[in-house]
């Protein structure tokens, strides 16, 4: 007999600024565009809007509740500018599940970038070389912060839990990456 601890699941959102379940009751569709309700502390200020997705193909069963299937080509969720500033001096922790595919090339699972402005960041996974890049202030030449992590995946074509944290120090030493709870070594 299996019993789910619903209290533990509900406690997961405590203290989170952004929390999107992707569950049906938290996702409303209009054509091929979904609006995802932010259950985090800023509430509807951080609702997400999908792009490149299909209502008939994107919702799938998840590990807990519903998930969304991203095709790796043009699917995305835009959470706007209200969730977090993500500037070079703002601490942040981001967690997500990632499935790097063989021959996948580059993936951008998370970015806070608007028209190549000098603030924000971009995360890049190079699955061919198993590298992970984080670039802050990428268009502010001479003031950008770029950190590379090598050998981040042992295998491709499987799920990984990714946690990225940054202490807001403006230093590469303040950037940390964990893959399946294992700290990865940064190359500056």
């Amino acid at each position: 007999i299996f019993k789910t601890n619903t209290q533990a699941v509900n406690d997961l959102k405590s203290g989170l600024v952004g929390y999107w379940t992707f569950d049906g009751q938290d996702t409303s569709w209009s054509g091929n565009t979904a609006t995802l309700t932010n259950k985090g502390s800023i509430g509807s200020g951080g609702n997400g809007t999908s792009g490149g997705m299909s209502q008939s193909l994107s919702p799938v069963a998840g590990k807990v509740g519903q998930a969304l299937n991203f095709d790796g080509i043009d699917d995305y969720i835009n959470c706007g500018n209200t969730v977090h500033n993500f500037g070079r001096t703002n601490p942040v922790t981001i967690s997500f599940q990632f499935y790097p595919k063989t021959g996948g090339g580059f993936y951008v699972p998370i970015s806070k970038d608007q028209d190549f402005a000098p603030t924000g960041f971009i995360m890049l996974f190079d699955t061919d070389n198993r590298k992970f890049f984080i670039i802050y202030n990428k268009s502010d030449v001479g003031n950008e912060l770029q950190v590379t992590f090598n050998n981040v995946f042992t295998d491709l074509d499987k799920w990984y839990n990714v946690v990225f944290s940054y202490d807001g120090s403006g230093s590469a030493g303040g950037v940390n990456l964990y893959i399946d709870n294992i700290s990865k070594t940064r190359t500056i």
Side-chain angles (χ1 to χ4, degrees):
I1 297 176
F2 179 79
K3 181 179 178 187
T4 301
N5 182 348
T6 56
Q7 181 62 38
V9 171
N10 291 334
D11 287 343
L12 287 175
K13 67 181 179 182
S14 178
L16 298 178
V17 173
Y19 173 62
W20 301 268
T21 68
F22 299 158
D23 287 342
Q25 72 270 16
D26 299 327
T27 305
S28 60
W29 288 88
S30 176
N32 285 332
T33 301
T35 300
L36 304 141
T37 302
N38 181 5
K39 301 293 219 172
S41 64
I42 64 165
S44 63
N47 285 348
T49 304
S50 71
M53 302 184 106
S54 162
Q55 183 177 5
S56 62
L57 299 175
S58 297
V60 295
K63 295 283 185 183
V64 176
Q66 181 175 293
L68 292 176
N69 181 25
F70 293 82
D71 66 12
I73 299 168
D74 62 354
D75 294 358
Y76 64 90
I77 303 294
N78 181 344
C79 296
N81 291 316
T82 59
V83 176
H84 193 279
N85 186 21
F86 291 118
R88 187 172 170 161
T89 58
N90 300 111
V92 65
T93 299
I94 298 172
S95 175
F96 57 95
Q97 303 293 313
F98 185 64
Y99 190 93
K101 296 180 180 179
T102 301
F106 283 93
Y107 290 93
V108 179
I110 308 268
S111 73
K112 172 63 170 129
D113 174 44
Q114 184 169 347
D115 302 326
F116 296 95
T119 59
F121 75 94
I122 188 166
M123 293 182 186
L124 297 162
F125 279 95
D126 175 359
T127 59
D128 294 335
N129 296 303
R130 293 185 168 88
K131 291 184 178 183
F132 177 75
F133 303 91
I134 302 165
I135 306 170
Y136 269 88
N137 295 29
K138 67 180 176 52
S139 64
D140 190 3
V141 178
N143 193 35
E144 72 276 0
L145 172 64
Q146 181 169 332
V147 182
T148 302
F149 294 86
N150 293 310
N151 302 313
V152 294
F153 304 115
T154 53
D155 297 304
L156 298 177
D157 301 311
K158 68 177 260 186
W159 284 103
Y160 290 95
N161 182 50
V162 178
V163 178
F164 157 76
S165 69
Y166 174 58
D167 66 6
S169 65
S171 163
V175 177
N176 294 289
L177 178 69
Y178 303 87
I179 305 289
D180 289 340
N181 299 324
I182 298 171
S183 179
K184 296 299 176 177
T185 303
R186 75 183 73 77
T187 304
I188 300 171

